[in-house]
């Protein structure tokens, strides 16, 4: 531990963005503290096979990938702790203060990499089948459903984008929406309506996911919310696309967030937030790409931005 809990950089969050920024800042000889959170590793810890992370031609599991990131950060002497940050004080400027319960830590610069979480329907069967045919990421898992029939839940741009993407792999994609009108933008709606592989199940909610980890998803119990009728719908997979929630509760009132709660980056060619000396990387600031590789890339950018910011400050 550093003297008086004082660091040049504190990184909050331990997905691909957090670990990558830790590797880069530590290799730049900065004194770095990484708060990993109790559930370290982020969204990849609930991802089974990752086949699109470059450098792993045979694929890698999400937890394995995060373990490799962590070990690489460890090798460069990053001071890591698997605890949750409970409070931050950023508005008074550098040095910033970060608390874990009653213990206060200080840093010249802060990198926020707390990520986001996919919203789920909250069904026990949905949770039991996560990684066995239930997913919240078509780009990550669509390939595993090549030639199969899948369902997508949601009516916003994410659901429309995921459904359209899945038609590249799947023989049929059914979009299940709880109303009879889509929320998504006109262009995305039109693209989905024009796609012959996409069918729509309106006014419908999923009540249960059928199947076991051995069989994979075999079907859904669905309910028509207008008639109350419950029926079985055969499918090989289920993609939940009802939105993501950025993990920014800690930063409310401390830093500018956009209207959906993501950290606002005034100039997106950098990772700087509206607070001088505070940077953000990964899904916590990115509702668009949300990939491990793009988060890692932003972690690298944040580390380089911090390094340069510290240099100009000390010049
Ligand atoms: P969203 O716009 O909030 O849409 C969420 C959808 O999920 C809504 O249709 C909602 O139904 C449905 N939903 C929410 N909770 C549900 C539940 N418990 N059960 C069933 N359905 C539920 O979220 P999003 O689609 O992730 O988009 C978020 C933002 O990112 C939007 O501003 C969007 O435009 C943007 N985005 C843009 C792009 C792009 O431009 N390429 C791609 C993706 C996202 P209701 O409609 O009934 O509320």
């Amino acid at each position: 531990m550093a003297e008086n809990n004082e660091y040049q950089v504190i990184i909050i969050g331990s997905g691909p963005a957090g670990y990558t920024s830790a590797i880069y800042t530590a290799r730049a000889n900065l004194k770095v503290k990484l708060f990993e959170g109790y559930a370290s590793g982020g969204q990849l810890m609930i991802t089974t096979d990752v086949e699109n992370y470059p450098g792993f031609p045979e694929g890698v599991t999400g937890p394995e990938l995060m373990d490799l990131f962590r070990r690489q950060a460890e090798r460069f002497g990053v001071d890591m702790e698997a605890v949750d940050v409970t409070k931050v004080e950023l508005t008074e400027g550098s040095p910033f203060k970060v608390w874990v319960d009653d213990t206060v830590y200080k840093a010249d610069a802060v990198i926020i990499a707390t990520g986001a979480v996919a919203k789920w329907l909250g069904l026990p069967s949905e949770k039991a089948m996560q990684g066995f045919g239930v997913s919240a990421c078509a780009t990550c898992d669509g390939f595993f459903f090549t030639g199969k029939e899948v369902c997508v839940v949601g009516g916003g741009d994410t659901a429309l984008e995921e459904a359209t993407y899945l038609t590249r792999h799947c023989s049929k994609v059914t979009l299940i929406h709880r109303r009879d009108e889509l929320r998504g933008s006109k262009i995305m709606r039109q693209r989905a309506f024009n796609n012959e592989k996409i069918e729509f199940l309106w006014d419908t909610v999923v009540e249960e996911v059928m199947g076991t980890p051995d069989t994979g998803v075999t079907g859904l119990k669905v309910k028509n919310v207008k008639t109350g009728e419950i029926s079985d719908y055969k499918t090989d997979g289920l993609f939940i696309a009802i939105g993501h929630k950025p993990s920014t509760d800690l930063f409310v009132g401390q830093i500018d967030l956009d209207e959906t709660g993501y950290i606002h980056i005034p100039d997106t060619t950098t990772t700087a937030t509206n607070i001088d000396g505070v940077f953000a990387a990964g899904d916590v600031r990115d509702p668009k790409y949300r990939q491990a590789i793009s988060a890692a890339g932003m972690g690298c950018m944040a580390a380089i931005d911090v390094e340069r910011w510290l240099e100009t400050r000390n010049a």
Side-chain angles (χ1 to χ4, degrees), residues 119-121 153-159 161 177-179 181-183 188 205 241-244 260 287-288 290:
K119 291 183 194 162
W120 297 93
L121 300 175
V153 178
D157 279 336
T158 299
E161 193 171 68
H177 186 34
R178 62 184 177 184
R179 295 186 293 132
E181 200 182 329
L182 294 169
R183 179 181 291 278
M188 306 281 276
V205 292
I242 59 173
H244 284 76
T260 49
K288 190 172 178 190
R290 295 195 297 247

PDB file of all heavy atoms in Angstrom, residues 119-121 153-159 161 177-179 181-183 188 205 241-244 260 287-288 290, ligand 1:
ATOM      1  N   LYS A 119     -29.774  -5.211 -18.688  1.00  0.00           N
ATOM      2  CA  LYS A 119     -31.012  -5.414 -17.922  1.00  0.00           C
ATOM      3  C   LYS A 119     -31.582  -6.772 -18.320  1.00  0.00           C
ATOM      4  O   LYS A 119     -31.547  -7.154 -19.494  1.00  0.00           O
ATOM      5  CB  LYS A 119     -32.029  -4.316 -18.265  1.00  0.00           C
ATOM      6  CG  LYS A 119     -31.630  -2.949 -17.753  1.00  0.00           C
ATOM      7  CD  LYS A 119     -32.747  -1.961 -18.073  1.00  0.00           C
ATOM      8  CE  LYS A 119     -32.296  -0.536 -17.896  1.00  0.00           C
ATOM      9  NZ  LYS A 119     -33.175   0.415 -18.571  1.00  0.00           N
ATOM     10  N   TRP A 120     -32.094  -7.476 -17.345  1.00  0.00           N
ATOM     11  CA  TRP A 120     -32.696  -8.791 -17.582  1.00  0.00           C
ATOM     12  C   TRP A 120     -34.168  -8.742 -17.225  1.00  0.00           C
ATOM     13  O   TRP A 120     -34.617  -7.834 -16.517  1.00  0.00           O
ATOM     14  CB  TRP A 120     -31.978  -9.858 -16.743  1.00  0.00           C
ATOM     15  CG  TRP A 120     -30.530 -10.021 -17.111  1.00  0.00           C
ATOM     16  CD1 TRP A 120     -29.461  -9.392 -16.537  1.00  0.00           C
ATOM     17  CD2 TRP A 120     -29.983 -10.844 -18.155  1.00  0.00           C
ATOM     18  NE1 TRP A 120     -28.294  -9.775 -17.157  1.00  0.00           N
ATOM     19  CE2 TRP A 120     -28.582 -10.669 -18.144  1.00  0.00           C
ATOM     20  CE3 TRP A 120     -30.549 -11.725 -19.091  1.00  0.00           C
ATOM     21  CZ2 TRP A 120     -27.742 -11.340 -19.037  1.00  0.00           C
ATOM     22  CZ3 TRP A 120     -29.707 -12.390 -19.972  1.00  0.00           C
ATOM     23  CH2 TRP A 120     -28.328 -12.196 -19.946  1.00  0.00           C
ATOM     24  N   LEU A 121     -34.912  -9.750 -17.685  1.00  0.00           N
ATOM     25  CA  LEU A 121     -36.345  -9.784 -17.376  1.00  0.00           C
ATOM     26  C   LEU A 121     -36.587 -10.105 -15.907  1.00  0.00           C
ATOM     27  O   LEU A 121     -37.600  -9.727 -15.344  1.00  0.00           O
ATOM     28  CB  LEU A 121     -37.042 -10.847 -18.246  1.00  0.00           C
ATOM     29  CG  LEU A 121     -36.950 -10.635 -19.757  1.00  0.00           C
ATOM     30  CD1 LEU A 121     -37.568 -11.807 -20.500  1.00  0.00           C
ATOM     31  CD2 LEU A 121     -37.657  -9.336 -20.151  1.00  0.00           C
ATOM     32  N   VAL A 153     -35.990 -10.226 -27.201  1.00  0.00           N
ATOM     33  CA  VAL A 153     -36.996  -9.469 -26.442  1.00  0.00           C
ATOM     34  C   VAL A 153     -36.610  -8.000 -26.406  1.00  0.00           C
ATOM     35  O   VAL A 153     -35.457  -7.672 -26.099  1.00  0.00           O
ATOM     36  CB  VAL A 153     -37.124  -9.996 -25.000  1.00  0.00           C
ATOM     37  CG1 VAL A 153     -38.132  -9.158 -24.210  1.00  0.00           C
ATOM     38  CG2 VAL A 153     -37.548 -11.454 -24.996  1.00  0.00           C
ATOM     39  N   GLY A 154     -37.579  -7.115 -26.699  1.00  0.00           N
ATOM     40  CA  GLY A 154     -37.336  -5.673 -26.638  1.00  0.00           C
ATOM     41  C   GLY A 154     -37.916  -4.991 -27.866  1.00  0.00           C
ATOM     42  O   GLY A 154     -38.170  -5.648 -28.881  1.00  0.00           O
ATOM     43  N   GLY A 155     -38.076  -3.673 -27.775  1.00  0.00           N
ATOM     44  CA  GLY A 155     -38.646  -2.942 -28.904  1.00  0.00           C
ATOM     45  C   GLY A 155     -37.889  -1.676 -29.227  1.00  0.00           C
ATOM     46  O   GLY A 155     -38.348  -0.853 -30.012  1.00  0.00           O
ATOM     47  N   GLY A 156     -36.699  -1.510 -28.613  1.00  0.00           N
ATOM     48  CA  GLY A 156     -35.883  -0.315 -28.852  1.00  0.00           C
ATOM     49  C   GLY A 156     -34.830  -0.566 -29.917  1.00  0.00           C
ATOM     50  O   GLY A 156     -34.809  -1.623 -30.564  1.00  0.00           O
ATOM     51  N   ASP A 157     -33.933   0.403 -30.094  1.00  0.00           N
ATOM     52  CA  ASP A 157     -32.889   0.285 -31.125  1.00  0.00           C
ATOM     53  C   ASP A 157     -31.981  -0.915 -30.871  1.00  0.00           C
ATOM     54  O   ASP A 157     -31.534  -1.570 -31.817  1.00  0.00           O
ATOM     55  CB  ASP A 157     -32.053   1.569 -31.173  1.00  0.00           C
ATOM     56  CG  ASP A 157     -32.749   2.657 -31.970  1.00  0.00           C
ATOM     57  OD1 ASP A 157     -33.577   2.315 -32.827  1.00  0.00           O
ATOM     58  OD2 ASP A 157     -32.470   3.837 -31.721  1.00  0.00           O
ATOM     59  N   THR A 158     -31.686  -1.193 -29.605  1.00  0.00           N
ATOM     60  CA  THR A 158     -30.809  -2.334 -29.323  1.00  0.00           C
ATOM     61  C   THR A 158     -31.455  -3.623 -29.820  1.00  0.00           C
ATOM     62  O   THR A 158     -30.818  -4.440 -30.494  1.00  0.00           O
ATOM     63  CB  THR A 158     -30.508  -2.438 -27.806  1.00  0.00           C
ATOM     64  OG1 THR A 158     -29.857  -1.244 -27.405  1.00  0.00           O
ATOM     65  CG2 THR A 158     -29.629  -3.624 -27.484  1.00  0.00           C
ATOM     66  N   ALA A 159     -32.727  -3.825 -29.515  1.00  0.00           N
ATOM     67  CA  ALA A 159     -33.424  -5.053 -29.932  1.00  0.00           C
ATOM     68  C   ALA A 159     -33.472  -5.155 -31.459  1.00  0.00           C
ATOM     69  O   ALA A 159     -33.239  -6.221 -32.038  1.00  0.00           O
ATOM     70  CB  ALA A 159     -34.833  -5.076 -29.353  1.00  0.00           C
ATOM     71  N   GLU A 161     -31.420  -3.722 -33.601  1.00  0.00           N
ATOM     72  CA  GLU A 161     -30.064  -3.945 -34.101  1.00  0.00           C
ATOM     73  C   GLU A 161     -29.639  -5.398 -33.886  1.00  0.00           C
ATOM     74  O   GLU A 161     -29.077  -6.029 -34.776  1.00  0.00           O
ATOM     75  CB  GLU A 161     -29.113  -2.992 -33.362  1.00  0.00           C
ATOM     76  CG  GLU A 161     -27.750  -2.888 -33.963  1.00  0.00           C
ATOM     77  CD  GLU A 161     -26.964  -1.759 -33.302  1.00  0.00           C
ATOM     78  OE1 GLU A 161     -26.617  -1.885 -32.116  1.00  0.00           O
ATOM     79  OE2 GLU A 161     -26.697  -0.755 -33.968  1.00  0.00           O
ATOM     80  N   HIS A 177     -42.163  -8.265 -28.431  1.00  0.00           N
ATOM     81  CA  HIS A 177     -42.285  -6.934 -27.811  1.00  0.00           C
ATOM     82  C   HIS A 177     -43.565  -6.862 -26.993  1.00  0.00           C
ATOM     83  O   HIS A 177     -44.602  -7.396 -27.395  1.00  0.00           O
ATOM     84  CB  HIS A 177     -42.280  -5.864 -28.906  1.00  0.00           C
ATOM     85  CG  HIS A 177     -42.268  -4.472 -28.370  1.00  0.00           C
ATOM     86  ND1 HIS A 177     -41.617  -4.105 -27.216  1.00  0.00           N
ATOM     87  CD2 HIS A 177     -42.860  -3.318 -28.842  1.00  0.00           C
ATOM     88  CE1 HIS A 177     -41.785  -2.808 -27.000  1.00  0.00           C
ATOM     89  NE2 HIS A 177     -42.533  -2.324 -27.966  1.00  0.00           N
ATOM     90  N   ARG A 178     -43.471  -6.175 -25.856  1.00  0.00           N
ATOM     91  CA  ARG A 178     -44.619  -6.153 -24.934  1.00  0.00           C
ATOM     92  C   ARG A 178     -45.741  -5.224 -25.377  1.00  0.00           C
ATOM     93  O   ARG A 178     -46.822  -5.235 -24.789  1.00  0.00           O
ATOM     94  CB  ARG A 178     -44.150  -5.771 -23.535  1.00  0.00           C
ATOM     95  CG  ARG A 178     -43.532  -4.384 -23.423  1.00  0.00           C
ATOM     96  CD  ARG A 178     -43.015  -4.143 -22.026  1.00  0.00           C
ATOM     97  NE  ARG A 178     -42.350  -2.858 -21.899  1.00  0.00           N
ATOM     98  CZ  ARG A 178     -41.747  -2.429 -20.794  1.00  0.00           C
ATOM     99  NH1 ARG A 178     -41.708  -3.199 -19.739  1.00  0.00           N
ATOM    100  NH2 ARG A 178     -41.169  -1.257 -20.758  1.00  0.00           N
ATOM    101  N   ARG A 179     -45.466  -4.386 -26.404  1.00  0.00           N
ATOM    102  CA  ARG A 179     -46.523  -3.523 -26.947  1.00  0.00           C
ATOM    103  C   ARG A 179     -46.700  -3.836 -28.423  1.00  0.00           C
ATOM    104  O   ARG A 179     -46.055  -4.743 -28.946  1.00  0.00           O
ATOM    105  CB  ARG A 179     -46.121  -2.050 -26.796  1.00  0.00           C
ATOM    106  CG  ARG A 179     -46.024  -1.626 -25.354  1.00  0.00           C
ATOM    107  CD  ARG A 179     -45.779  -0.140 -25.232  1.00  0.00           C
ATOM    108  NE  ARG A 179     -44.475   0.288 -25.721  1.00  0.00           N
ATOM    109  CZ  ARG A 179     -44.272   1.317 -26.535  1.00  0.00           C
ATOM    110  NH1 ARG A 179     -45.298   2.006 -26.999  1.00  0.00           N
ATOM    111  NH2 ARG A 179     -43.049   1.656 -26.911  1.00  0.00           N
ATOM    112  N   GLU A 181     -46.208  -1.448 -30.715  1.00  0.00           N
ATOM    113  CA  GLU A 181     -45.520  -0.347 -31.404  1.00  0.00           C
ATOM    114  C   GLU A 181     -44.072  -0.340 -30.928  1.00  0.00           C
ATOM    115  O   GLU A 181     -43.818  -0.423 -29.719  1.00  0.00           O
ATOM    116  CB  GLU A 181     -46.197   0.956 -30.975  1.00  0.00           C
ATOM    117  CG  GLU A 181     -45.963   2.108 -31.894  1.00  0.00           C
ATOM    118  CD  GLU A 181     -46.643   3.360 -31.314  1.00  0.00           C
ATOM    119  OE1 GLU A 181     -47.674   3.229 -30.635  1.00  0.00           O
ATOM    120  OE2 GLU A 181     -46.080   4.438 -31.529  1.00  0.00           O
ATOM    121  N   LEU A 182     -43.159  -0.235 -31.892  1.00  0.00           N
ATOM    122  CA  LEU A 182     -41.738  -0.265 -31.521  1.00  0.00           C
ATOM    123  C   LEU A 182     -41.275   1.095 -31.019  1.00  0.00           C
ATOM    124  O   LEU A 182     -41.738   2.127 -31.489  1.00  0.00           O
ATOM    125  CB  LEU A 182     -40.904  -0.670 -32.741  1.00  0.00           C
ATOM    126  CG  LEU A 182     -41.132  -2.097 -33.252  1.00  0.00           C
ATOM    127  CD1 LEU A 182     -40.467  -2.283 -34.614  1.00  0.00           C
ATOM    128  CD2 LEU A 182     -40.619  -3.120 -32.255  1.00  0.00           C
ATOM    129  N   ARG A 183     -40.331   1.066 -30.089  1.00  0.00           N
ATOM    130  CA  ARG A 183     -39.755   2.307 -29.570  1.00  0.00           C
ATOM    131  C   ARG A 183     -38.576   2.779 -30.437  1.00  0.00           C
ATOM    132  O   ARG A 183     -38.251   3.952 -30.464  1.00  0.00           O
ATOM    133  CB  ARG A 183     -39.267   2.039 -28.137  1.00  0.00           C
ATOM    134  CG  ARG A 183     -38.615   3.201 -27.457  1.00  0.00           C
ATOM    135  CD  ARG A 183     -38.168   2.797 -26.062  1.00  0.00           C
ATOM    136  NE  ARG A 183     -39.306   2.562 -25.192  1.00  0.00           N
ATOM    137  CZ  ARG A 183     -39.971   3.521 -24.564  1.00  0.00           C
ATOM    138  NH1 ARG A 183     -39.615   4.773 -24.707  1.00  0.00           N
ATOM    139  NH2 ARG A 183     -40.988   3.231 -23.784  1.00  0.00           N
ATOM    140  N   MET A 188     -34.214   2.068 -38.129  1.00  0.00           N
ATOM    141  CA  MET A 188     -33.998   0.715 -37.598  1.00  0.00           C
ATOM    142  C   MET A 188     -35.280  -0.122 -37.713  1.00  0.00           C
ATOM    143  O   MET A 188     -35.240  -1.313 -38.001  1.00  0.00           O
ATOM    144  CB  MET A 188     -33.559   0.787 -36.126  1.00  0.00           C
ATOM    145  CG  MET A 188     -32.372   1.655 -35.871  1.00  0.00           C
ATOM    146  SD  MET A 188     -30.844   0.853 -36.289  1.00  0.00           S
ATOM    147  CE  MET A 188     -30.576  -0.041 -34.808  1.00  0.00           C
ATOM    148  N   VAL A 205     -45.187 -11.092 -23.691  1.00  0.00           N
ATOM    149  CA  VAL A 205     -44.072 -11.132 -22.734  1.00  0.00           C
ATOM    150  C   VAL A 205     -43.652 -12.588 -22.522  1.00  0.00           C
ATOM    151  O   VAL A 205     -44.462 -13.509 -22.670  1.00  0.00           O
ATOM    152  CB  VAL A 205     -44.445 -10.489 -21.368  1.00  0.00           C
ATOM    153  CG1 VAL A 205     -44.649  -8.990 -21.508  1.00  0.00           C
ATOM    154  CG2 VAL A 205     -45.657 -11.144 -20.737  1.00  0.00           C
ATOM    155  N   ALA A 241     -32.786  -7.868 -24.981  1.00  0.00           N
ATOM    156  CA  ALA A 241     -32.247  -6.592 -25.481  1.00  0.00           C
ATOM    157  C   ALA A 241     -33.151  -5.459 -24.999  1.00  0.00           C
ATOM    158  O   ALA A 241     -33.721  -4.712 -25.791  1.00  0.00           O
ATOM    159  CB  ALA A 241     -32.160  -6.631 -27.007  1.00  0.00           C
ATOM    160  N   ILE A 242     -33.287  -5.365 -23.680  1.00  0.00           N
ATOM    161  CA  ILE A 242     -34.194  -4.355 -23.119  1.00  0.00           C
ATOM    162  C   ILE A 242     -33.410  -3.197 -22.503  1.00  0.00           C
ATOM    163  O   ILE A 242     -33.927  -2.437 -21.703  1.00  0.00           O
ATOM    164  CB  ILE A 242     -35.180  -4.980 -22.108  1.00  0.00           C
ATOM    165  CG1 ILE A 242     -34.434  -5.654 -20.944  1.00  0.00           C
ATOM    166  CG2 ILE A 242     -36.091  -5.985 -22.808  1.00  0.00           C
ATOM    167  CD1 ILE A 242     -35.359  -6.144 -19.833  1.00  0.00           C
ATOM    168  N   GLY A 243     -32.141  -3.078 -22.877  1.00  0.00           N
ATOM    169  CA  GLY A 243     -31.336  -1.943 -22.435  1.00  0.00           C
ATOM    170  C   GLY A 243     -30.237  -2.338 -21.464  1.00  0.00           C
ATOM    171  O   GLY A 243     -30.181  -3.470 -20.985  1.00  0.00           O
ATOM    172  N   HIS A 244     -29.350  -1.387 -21.253  1.00  0.00           N
ATOM    173  CA  HIS A 244     -28.246  -1.570 -20.305  1.00  0.00           C
ATOM    174  C   HIS A 244     -28.312  -0.469 -19.263  1.00  0.00           C
ATOM    175  O   HIS A 244     -28.843   0.605 -19.528  1.00  0.00           O
ATOM    176  CB  HIS A 244     -26.889  -1.487 -21.028  1.00  0.00           C
ATOM    177  CG  HIS A 244     -26.574  -2.707 -21.805  1.00  0.00           C
ATOM    178  ND1 HIS A 244     -27.165  -2.982 -23.007  1.00  0.00           N
ATOM    179  CD2 HIS A 244     -25.741  -3.744 -21.543  1.00  0.00           C
ATOM    180  CE1 HIS A 244     -26.714  -4.140 -23.460  1.00  0.00           C
ATOM    181  NE2 HIS A 244     -25.849  -4.618 -22.599  1.00  0.00           N
ATOM    182  N   THR A 260     -29.272   9.246 -20.107  1.00  0.00           N
ATOM    183  CA  THR A 260     -29.512   7.834 -19.790  1.00  0.00           C
ATOM    184  C   THR A 260     -28.547   7.316 -18.722  1.00  0.00           C
ATOM    185  O   THR A 260     -28.498   6.109 -18.462  1.00  0.00           O
ATOM    186  CB  THR A 260     -29.425   6.953 -21.064  1.00  0.00           C
ATOM    187  OG1 THR A 260     -28.226   7.276 -21.770  1.00  0.00           O
ATOM    188  CG2 THR A 260     -30.610   7.162 -21.973  1.00  0.00           C
ATOM    189  N   PRO A 287     -22.587   3.666 -24.775  1.00  0.00           N
ATOM    190  CA  PRO A 287     -23.805   2.892 -25.024  1.00  0.00           C
ATOM    191  C   PRO A 287     -23.816   2.254 -26.410  1.00  0.00           C
ATOM    192  O   PRO A 287     -24.711   1.488 -26.727  1.00  0.00           O
ATOM    193  CB  PRO A 287     -24.916   3.940 -24.907  1.00  0.00           C
ATOM    194  CG  PRO A 287     -24.262   5.238 -25.176  1.00  0.00           C
ATOM    195  CD  PRO A 287     -22.797   5.113 -24.865  1.00  0.00           C
ATOM    196  N   LYS A 288     -22.784   2.548 -27.226  1.00  0.00           N
ATOM    197  CA  LYS A 288     -22.843   2.153 -28.633  1.00  0.00           C
ATOM    198  C   LYS A 288     -22.131   0.837 -28.948  1.00  0.00           C
ATOM    199  O   LYS A 288     -22.733  -0.087 -29.478  1.00  0.00           O
ATOM    200  CB  LYS A 288     -22.261   3.282 -29.474  1.00  0.00           C
ATOM    201  CG  LYS A 288     -22.471   3.098 -30.953  1.00  0.00           C
ATOM    202  CD  LYS A 288     -22.065   4.320 -31.733  1.00  0.00           C
ATOM    203  CE  LYS A 288     -22.234   4.096 -33.229  1.00  0.00           C
ATOM    204  NZ  LYS A 288     -21.631   5.187 -33.985  1.00  0.00           N
ATOM    205  N   ARG A 290     -19.858  -1.308 -26.798  1.00  0.00           N
ATOM    206  CA  ARG A 290     -20.020  -2.273 -25.710  1.00  0.00           C
ATOM    207  C   ARG A 290     -19.297  -3.600 -25.931  1.00  0.00           C
ATOM    208  O   ARG A 290     -19.841  -4.654 -25.645  1.00  0.00           O
ATOM    209  CB  ARG A 290     -21.516  -2.549 -25.485  1.00  0.00           C
ATOM    210  CG  ARG A 290     -22.288  -1.349 -25.004  1.00  0.00           C
ATOM    211  CD  ARG A 290     -23.612  -1.751 -24.459  1.00  0.00           C
ATOM    212  NE  ARG A 290     -24.458  -2.351 -25.417  1.00  0.00           N
ATOM    213  CZ  ARG A 290     -25.581  -1.822 -25.868  1.00  0.00           C
ATOM    214  NH1 ARG A 290     -25.992  -0.666 -25.413  1.00  0.00           N
ATOM    215  NH2 ARG A 290     -26.308  -2.451 -26.747  1.00  0.00           N
TER     216      ARG A 290
HETATM  217  P1  LIG B   1     -34.607   1.506 -24.842  1.00  0.00           P
HETATM  218  O1  LIG B   1     -34.690   2.491 -25.947  1.00  0.00           O
HETATM  219  O2  LIG B   1     -34.867   1.947 -23.447  1.00  0.00           O
HETATM  220  O3  LIG B   1     -35.627   0.334 -25.207  1.00  0.00           O
HETATM  221  C1  LIG B   1     -35.822  -0.727 -24.325  1.00  0.00           C
HETATM  222  C2  LIG B   1     -36.919  -1.603 -24.923  1.00  0.00           C
HETATM  223  O4  LIG B   1     -37.088  -2.736 -24.069  1.00  0.00           O
HETATM  224  C3  LIG B   1     -38.279  -0.901 -25.004  1.00  0.00           C
HETATM  225  O5  LIG B   1     -38.925  -1.244 -26.199  1.00  0.00           O
HETATM  226  C4  LIG B   1     -39.033  -1.431 -23.795  1.00  0.00           C
HETATM  227  O6  LIG B   1     -40.412  -1.573 -24.003  1.00  0.00           O
HETATM  228  C5  LIG B   1     -38.452  -2.822 -23.645  1.00  0.00           C
HETATM  229  N1  LIG B   1     -38.434  -3.260 -22.266  1.00  0.00           N
HETATM  230  C6  LIG B   1     -37.887  -2.619 -21.180  1.00  0.00           C
HETATM  231  N2  LIG B   1     -38.060  -3.348 -20.066  1.00  0.00           N
HETATM  232  C7  LIG B   1     -38.733  -4.465 -20.452  1.00  0.00           C
HETATM  233  C8  LIG B   1     -39.209  -5.592 -19.752  1.00  0.00           C
HETATM  234  N3  LIG B   1     -39.008  -5.747 -18.448  1.00  0.00           N
HETATM  235  N4  LIG B   1     -39.870  -6.549 -20.441  1.00  0.00           N
HETATM  236  C9  LIG B   1     -40.053  -6.425 -21.782  1.00  0.00           C
HETATM  237  N5  LIG B   1     -39.621  -5.378 -22.511  1.00  0.00           N
HETATM  238  C10 LIG B   1     -38.968  -4.406 -21.838  1.00  0.00           C
HETATM  239  O7  LIG B   1     -33.153   0.777 -24.768  1.00  0.00           O
HETATM  240  P2  LIG B   1     -32.149   0.419 -25.951  1.00  0.00           P
HETATM  241  O8  LIG B   1     -32.872  -0.194 -27.089  1.00  0.00           O
HETATM  242  O9  LIG B   1     -31.044  -0.347 -25.328  1.00  0.00           O
HETATM  243  O10 LIG B   1     -31.585   1.829 -26.403  1.00  0.00           O
HETATM  244  C11 LIG B   1     -30.944   2.688 -25.454  1.00  0.00           C
HETATM  245  C12 LIG B   1     -30.439   3.947 -26.166  1.00  0.00           C
HETATM  246  O11 LIG B   1     -29.334   3.608 -27.021  1.00  0.00           O
HETATM  247  C13 LIG B   1     -31.510   4.577 -27.060  1.00  0.00           C
HETATM  248  O12 LIG B   1     -31.352   5.962 -27.015  1.00  0.00           O
HETATM  249  C14 LIG B   1     -31.165   4.055 -28.435  1.00  0.00           C
HETATM  250  O13 LIG B   1     -31.618   4.910 -29.487  1.00  0.00           O
HETATM  251  C15 LIG B   1     -29.648   3.973 -28.370  1.00  0.00           C
HETATM  252  N6  LIG B   1     -29.147   2.943 -29.291  1.00  0.00           N
HETATM  253  C16 LIG B   1     -28.808   3.359 -30.552  1.00  0.00           C
HETATM  254  C17 LIG B   1     -28.351   2.421 -31.467  1.00  0.00           C
HETATM  255  C18 LIG B   1     -27.950   2.882 -32.829  1.00  0.00           C
HETATM  256  O14 LIG B   1     -28.187   4.010 -33.161  1.00  0.00           O
HETATM  257  N7  LIG B   1     -27.328   2.027 -33.633  1.00  0.00           N
HETATM  258  C19 LIG B   1     -28.274   1.068 -31.133  1.00  0.00           C
HETATM  259  C20 LIG B   1     -28.655   0.690 -29.857  1.00  0.00           C
HETATM  260  C21 LIG B   1     -29.103   1.637 -28.959  1.00  0.00           C
HETATM  261  P3  LIG B   1     -41.362  -0.274 -24.134  1.00  0.00           P
HETATM  262  O15 LIG B   1     -41.096   0.269 -25.504  1.00  0.00           O
HETATM  263  O16 LIG B   1     -42.729  -0.824 -23.962  1.00  0.00           O
HETATM  264  O17 LIG B   1     -40.950   0.641 -23.028  1.00  0.00           O
END
